[in-house]
């Protein structure tokens, strides 16, 4: 579990809830169940139109990466590649077949080395696979960022609908204040969903994608260096 993501999200949500409690308007928020549903469902449906269904569903599932506590320090991967290079120089490429590798992408490259693929084929294949992974990650980020853009718009839409309804029924001046407060709630929910959920997840996915790109690049460089027989210190 990524502590920064969890603490940040819970902290921001707690501040929002505390503000509601301090204003002594909890009953109004609890009674208005339609506003959050309108904003959330409207946002998801609008974003679904921009992407294919499979792509949309896959992007929602990838949110687990935002809360993943997986180490992003590349030093462990570097040490592993250096160890593989050392074994390769001492015992030959076939000895790598018995080695346990933590990265599936690195293991794929080792298999090509063991099978005797040429350096051009290895680099081209691994490069193409890396681009595919980065493109998928980028696409998932775009889905969540689109949700962050659509949520405030649907919040404003709900507010406008509420204000139109209020203006059409202004016979009772005392009811104008409460009606306006309810109308503005959808704008609040749109901002909350965008700033506490959708945009933070999109930014976290972008950050994870950059870290993964670094690790994949290290794997390609390491595989090419091993195949060239470079000194592990290099």
């Amino acid at each position: 579990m990524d502590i920064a993501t969890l603490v940040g999200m819970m902290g921001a949500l707690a501040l929002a809830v505390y503000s509601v409690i301090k204003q002594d308007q909890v009953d109004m928020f609890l009674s208005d169940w339609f506003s959050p549903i309108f904003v959330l469902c409207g946002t998801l449906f609008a974003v679904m139109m921009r992407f294919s269904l499979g792509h949309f569903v896959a992007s929602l599932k990838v949110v687990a990466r935002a809360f993943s506590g997986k180490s992003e320090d590349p030093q462990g991967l570097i040490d592993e590649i250096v160890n593989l290079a050392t074994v390769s120089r001492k015992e030959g490429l076939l000895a790598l077949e018995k080695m346990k590798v933590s990265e599936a992408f690195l293991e794929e490259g080792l298999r090509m080395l063991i099978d005797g693929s040429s350096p051009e084929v290895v680099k081209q294949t691994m490069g193409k696979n890396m681009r595919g992974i980065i493109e998928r990650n980028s696409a998932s980020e775009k889905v969540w960022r689109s949700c962050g853009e659509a949520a405030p718009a649907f919040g404003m839409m709900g507010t406008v609908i509420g204000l139109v309804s209020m203006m059409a029924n202004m016979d009772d001046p005392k009811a104008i204040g409460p009606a306006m407060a309810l109308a503005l709630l959808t704008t609040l929910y749109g901002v909350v969903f965008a700033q506490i959920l959708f945009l933070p997840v999109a930014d976290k996915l972008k950050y994870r994608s950059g870290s993964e790109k670094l690790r994949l690049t290290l794997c390609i460089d390491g595989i090419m260096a091993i195949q060239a027989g470079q000194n592990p210190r290099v």
Side-chain angles (χ1 to χ4, degrees):
M1 179 65 71
D2 181 13
I3 300 299
T5 303
L6 185 63
V7 170
M9 186 172 290
M10 291 297 100
L13 186 60
L15 285 174
V17 172
Y18 175 73
S19 298
V20 173
I21 295 174
K22 190 176 180 181
Q23 297 299 324
D24 196 24
Q25 297 295 332
V26 177
D27 291 341
M28 183 180 68
F29 278 84
L30 293 179
S31 63
D32 182 27
W33 54 268
F34 180 73
S35 291
I37 293 177
F38 173 81
V39 173
L40 183 60
C41 293
T43 296
L44 295 179
F45 285 137
V47 173
M48 191 184 298
M49 289 189 292
R50 304 180 188 182
F51 304 92
S52 68
L53 181 60
H55 185 183
F56 177 79
V57 173
S59 297
L60 294 181
K61 291 180 179 179
V62 84
V63 69
R65 294 186 61 216
F67 297 92
S68 171
K70 183 179 178 180
S71 175
E72 295 161 349
D73 183 10
Q75 188 57 53
L77 179 60
I78 293 172
D79 294 338
E80 184 176 9
I81 292 174
V82 169
N83 182 50
L84 292 170
T86 302
V87 171
S88 176
R89 278 174 63 90
K90 290 182 178 179
E91 304 176 29
L93 289 175
L94 291 179
L96 299 177
E97 194 169 9
K98 302 176 182 178
M99 301 287 292
K100 291 184 178 180
V101 182
S102 61
E103 290 276 345
F105 189 73
L106 181 61
E107 184 177 9
E108 179 186 350
L110 289 177
R111 284 202 202 98
M112 286 191 286
L113 292 189
I114 295 169
D115 292 341
S117 300
S118 66
E120 293 78 15
V121 172
V122 173
K123 188 172 184 178
Q124 182 180 9
T125 302
M126 295 189 73
K128 183 183 294 185
N129 291 343
M130 183 182 78
R131 287 191 295 274
I133 293 172
I134 298 303
E135 287 174 3
R136 286 194 298 272
N137 292 342
S138 177
S140 297
E141 177 215 332
K142 289 178 181 177
V143 170
W144 283 89
R145 198 166 299 282
S146 294
C147 289
E149 295 170 355
F154 269 89
M156 185 61 68
M157 184 189 302
T159 294
V160 172
I161 293 172
L163 290 176
V164 169
S165 177
M166 183 193 73
M167 293 295 181
N169 299 276
M170 295 186 67
D171 298 335
D172 185 5
K174 293 182 179 179
I176 294 177
M180 183 174 291
L182 281 173
L184 291 173
L185 276 182
T186 51
T187 295
L188 173 62
Y189 283 117
V191 173
V192 168
F193 281 130
Q195 298 299 327
I196 298 182
L197 177 61
F198 296 133
L199 293 180
V201 169
D203 288 337
K204 183 65 76 169
L205 290 176
K206 183 178 181 180
Y207 172 75
R208 296 285 189 192
S209 180
S211 298
E212 185 169 17
K213 183 177 181 180
L214 172 61
R215 295 180 68 85
L216 297 177
T217 302
L218 282 171
C219 289
I220 293 176
D221 291 345
I223 289 295
M224 300 310 299
I226 291 173
Q227 189 170 39
Q230 289 188 7
N231 191 303
R233 286 193 298 267
V234 176

